[in-house]
Amino acid sequence: MVSAPERTAAHAHEASPRAPLISAEDVRRELYRLFGTGSGPGELVVSIRGAEGDDAAAVAAFDELMRSLAMHAGGTAAGGLPDARVATPDAAMIERALLVLARRELQRELLDHILTTFGGHLIDPLTALLDAGPQGEIMARLVLVRERLLVDLDDLALTHETRAIVRGDVERLLGDDYLAMLAEHEERVQRPRARKMAQEILRVIANAFHAALARWPSHAHALAQAARRKVGDEVPLRELPALIRAQVVTGIEEFLWVETSNDIQGALGAMFGAQRGILARPPALERAAYRAFAERCWHLITSQL
């Protein structure tokens, strides 16, 4: 049996706000671990990769592509020539624009977004599991155990009087207050383990995506070639931005998925297998999240206009 002071402490714990398993500070530490602080206060390391010894041409090509993408749906030039057909930027020009994502500060911004959103998605099941409130998962499981016990009792070949005695004892012993105390106790025991696991999940995500972004420059060439080939040689001016955007976003989504999903799923499987007392299986990766990351990449590229 649990003493009255322990029950009082449990109710006091329930009233106090619970800290999240992962905070903004945890994300900041991961970014600092991967990127540091730059070469000095407020400084960022920026690089634009172009043809060897031809940085000016790379910058000019990037500017030209960005100007063409800006002429879309009401822009000054596109509005004046809505049906004009223009030559699609060549693969080299598209590649140089894609290589904007090799910039350190943009990769850091993207990874911050991924850790905050994707990390939250994978860690939320742990948070839900630890909800010891009246509508929480722990309480729901305990109530289910009580209900199953009462159902099994009704199935016994006992007289109505005997069943009533046992039912009354069970309901008094496993009353809502008692189950709430058990839920609070379970939450306190599990929280340190769950927080450690949440930090490990954050580390797995950070390492996987950081490694993928480091490989981005070598992939940009193939993506640019594929985008140029699928868009074609000449398209209506008003359609150009949307066509290039569709190919680039799809290519980035595929790249991030291929480069990270197996590593993340494998690490999570091993992690949750070693901690079966927390969750039966790891949360599933959602491909839709990768589409959102690819859209974010496109925003970062076009934000350099």
Side-chain angles (χ1 to χ4, degrees), residues 37-41 43-45:
T37 57
S39 57
E43 294 183 15
L44 292 169
V45 178

Side-chain angles (χ1 to χ4, degrees), residues 192-257:
R193 296 170 60 196
R195 173 160 173 77
K196 180 179 179 181
M197 181 175 287
Q199 291 174 327
E200 291 174 355
I201 291 173
L202 201 68
R203 179 66 57 88
V204 165
I205 298 170
N207 286 341
F209 277 94
H210 186 253
L213 291 174
R215 294 189 289 270
W216 171 249
S218 62
H219 182 79
H221 175 75
L223 197 160
Q225 294 283 347
R228 176 62 177 76
R229 183 173 60 255
K230 291 178 181 178
V231 171
D233 295 331
E234 189 178 276
V235 296
L237 177 59
R238 68 161 74 241
E239 297 177 11
L240 176 61
L243 290 172
I244 292 182
R245 179 183 183 277
Q247 295 303 321
V248 168
V249 169
T250 299
I252 294 176
E253 175 192 349
E254 182 70 16
F255 166 77
L256 292 176
W257 175 260

Side-chain angles (χ1 to χ4, degrees), residues 48-61 96:
I48 299 178
R49 304 186 182 209
E52 186 69 26
D54 194 12
D55 288 344
V59 174
R96 288 164 184 155

Side-chain angles (χ1 to χ4, degrees), residues 12-27:
H13 177 71
E14 181 179 5
S16 61
R18 294 178 176 85
L21 292 179
I22 290 297
S23 66
E25 179 63 19
D26 294 314
V27 173

Side-chain angles (χ1 to χ4, degrees), residues 190 193 197 269 271-281:
Q190 291 279 34
R193 296 170 60 196
M197 181 175 287
M271 190 186 308
F272 279 82
Q275 297 287 347
R276 292 188 180 277
I278 295 183
L279 281 180
R281 62 180 63 86

